[in-house]
Amino acid sequence: MAPVFVLVHGAGSNSYGWAPVLAELGLRGHKAVAVDLPGHGRGAYYPASYQTPQNLEGLRTEPSPLGKVTLDDFAEHVVGVVRRASRLGAVVLVGQSMGGVTLNAVANRVPELVSHLVYASAFCPTGHASAAQLMAAPEASSSALLRLERVATPPGLGVDRVNWRSGDPAFFATAKDALAADWPDDAVRALIATLEPDESAAIGKADARGLPEKWGRVPRTFLRFTRDHSIPLALQDLMIREADAATPHNRFRVRSLAAPHAGPRDPAVWADELELAAGACR
């Protein structure tokens, strides 16, 4: 069956981030859909205090609907998309960054509906239970995400909040380092303008381990971004090793790309890699 690509975004992002890749895949004749996870995209919440002029004190305390969203909500939504997509072809499920935990959760639920999993420098907990545990590992110690300033919201709010509209040059420098250190400043500003301030704090803390008897049945590819300053190469390699140890009979197919956390700027490079992954599952 011809592949159907289902693309899952990372934390604080949305389906728009996949738009250039969707266009390239479509021009090559592929079926592809980018998912907006619950509370993202058209369903995103932008605090009133986040708007211009910003109310920084209000931004620290303003509640968000995302505070009630769980990994189960993400998985249930994507499973629904995968069920529909599987009627059209062999589903290649792709996740970037935090989107990887949703891939694990979906593959744990419906491994029979997924032909291939693609982790684009994405979290893939197996030996460590969660993305948060992985980020606490020594291999993550150089991550620029650990230096990126967050809004100090109360724990009860249940959200991780970033003020992407900050005018602080130091914030921009760290954000650029985290997302795309080798991109021009204008390209980084355009990328930041697409990001959303809130993410459910529950996602990174959730037990998202791939289960060998479920997730472990699905062939998988890891796109290893060698210039990623958010999920350092050492952490990517740790996840690959732990996943391969969990299912030695079904190891990652690894591809290394000279790309930052945001991925290759050229959508043709993305499409080439996804086509290779789709070919590997036939």
Side-chain angles (χ1 to χ4, degrees):
M1 296 176 72
V4 181
F5 298 97
V6 177
L7 312 177
V8 180
H9 61 78
S13 189
N14 48 60
S15 62
Y16 178 77
W18 287 113
V21 181
L22 280 179
E24 180 65 23
L25 289 170
L27 289 170
R28 296 185 184 199
H30 296 296
K31 299 183 181 74
V33 59
V35 176
D36 276 320
L37 294 169
H40 294 272
R42 294 182 68 181
Y45 179 76
Y46 290 86
S49 52
Y50 183 67
Q51 311 306 320
T52 303
Q54 290 193 321
N55 174 0
L56 296 182
E57 183 57 37
L59 194 59
R60 284 189 277 272
T61 57
E62 186 173 338
S64 169
L66 270 164
K68 299 184 183 300
V69 174
T70 67
L71 181 57
D72 284 341
D73 295 324
F74 279 13
E76 182 179 353
H77 180 72
V78 178
V79 164
V81 175
V82 166
R83 287 192 189 282
R84 295 181 66 186
S86 67
R87 300 169 192 158
L88 304 174
V91 173
V92 178
L93 186 59
V94 184
Q96 187 174 14
S97 190
M98 192 64 81
V101 302
T102 300
L103 262 61
N104 279 21
V106 171
N108 282 342
R109 284 166 167 77
V110 289
E112 70 281 0
L113 298 182
V114 181
S115 295
H116 204 90
L117 295 163
V118 180
Y119 294 78
S121 195
F123 287 101
C124 181
T126 50
H128 290 72
S130 66
Q133 286 190 14
L134 285 163
M135 286 300 294
E139 289 82 357
S141 61
S142 67
S143 173
L145 291 177
L146 301 177
R147 294 184 282 106
L148 186 69
E149 183 180 2
R150 263 71 167 188
V151 178
T153 56
L157 220 59
V159 296
D160 293 324
R161 181 168 286 166
V162 179
N163 184 9
W164 297 111
R165 293 178 180 169
S166 169
D168 183 355
F171 174 86
F172 177 79
T174 305
K176 177 177 178 177
D177 188 34
L179 299 173
D182 52 352
W183 287 18
D185 284 0
D186 286 349
V188 176
R189 290 190 186 96
L191 171 62
I192 287 175
T194 70
L195 299 179
E196 301 166 4
D198 288 353
E199 184 57 81
S200 167
I203 306 305
K205 298 173 184 174
D207 188 334
R209 282 174 287 192
L211 302 176
E213 68 277 14
K214 301 281 189 178
W215 158 89
R217 291 159 42 190
V218 185
R220 58 183 186 260
T221 291
F222 198 100
L223 299 183
R224 187 173 172 268
F225 293 170
T226 62
R227 297 176 181 170
D228 192 336
H229 294 173
S230 286
I231 304 181
L233 201 54
L235 184 58
Q236 296 177 56
D237 289 342
L238 173 66
M239 291 188 286
I240 292 167
R241 290 196 304 272
E242 290 186 342
D244 288 351
T247 57
H249 59 285
N250 180 26
R251 299 169 66 85
F252 262 118
R253 173 184 170 274
V254 179
R255 298 278 298 173
S256 295
L257 304 177
H261 188 65
R265 286 190 71 193
D266 185 353
V269 176
W270 277 107
D272 288 346
E273 293 298 328
L274 297 184
E275 285 180 335
L276 284 172
C281 71
R282 290 176 184 170

